[in-house]
Amino acid sequence: MSRYTLASYGTVGDVDPMLAIARALCDLGEEVVFFGNPFFENRYKRAGIEYILAGPSLDPDILLEDPRYTHPSRGIFNIFNLIYLPMVTVLAAAIEKEIRRKPVDMI
């Protein structure tokens, strides 16, 4: 049996495919730990996989209400710099902590 680490901090369109992969690996007898946005905790529970919540709970739909993220030319830049980069840092730190605790075969 191998141990896998998967992570996603995006929208449902990012999280659900990764959860499907995690569930398929578990069904094959592999050990999986999933890192993600606390906002989707109920999805992780329903998938029946081990998960670690990383970073603040962020409802992706809230982004649609904030003009910084919907601006036609600056929106994607702001999403990348104000949300994506900080979350990658949080996820990387959480993953590093976990793999130091219990090594994995694949990230």
Side-chain angles (χ1 to χ4, degrees), residues 9-10 37-40 55-63 69 83 87:
Y9 206 89
N37 180 352
F39 181 78
F40 294 114
S57 181
L58 177 66
D59 177 353
D61 290 337
I62 296 298
L63 300 180
Y69 306 125
I83 296 173
M87 286 307 103

Side-chain angles (χ1 to χ4, degrees), residues 10-69:
T11 65
V12 170
D14 302 304
V15 172
D16 282 356
M18 292 298 286
L19 287 176
I21 292 168
R23 183 69 259 156
L25 287 167
C26 288
D27 290 345
L28 292 171
E30 306 297 351
E31 184 180 353
V32 176
V33 61
F34 188 90
F35 292 80
N37 180 352
F39 181 78
F40 294 114
E41 183 173 13
N42 286 333
R43 285 183 127 69
Y44 312 146
K45 286 180 181 178
R46 282 194 307 267
I49 59 169
E50 178 185 351
Y51 62 90
I52 295 175
L53 304 176
S57 181
L58 177 66
D59 177 353
D61 290 337
I62 296 298
L63 300 180
L64 299 175
E65 300 171 10
D66 189 326
R68 293 178 300 171
Y69 306 125

Side-chain angles (χ1 to χ4, degrees), residues 67-105:
R68 293 178 300 171
Y69 306 125
T70 58
H71 188 274
S73 62
R74 301 289 299 165
I76 193 68
F77 177 82
N78 288 333
I79 289 170
F80 187 80
N81 285 299
L82 300 175
I83 296 173
Y84 179 75
L85 286 179
M87 286 307 103
V88 167
T89 302
V90 169
L91 282 172
I95 291 168
E96 181 180 16
K97 180 179 177 183
E98 176 63 14
I99 62 175
R100 288 183 187 279
R101 184 187 74 78
K102 188 174 181 185
V104 299
D105 298 299

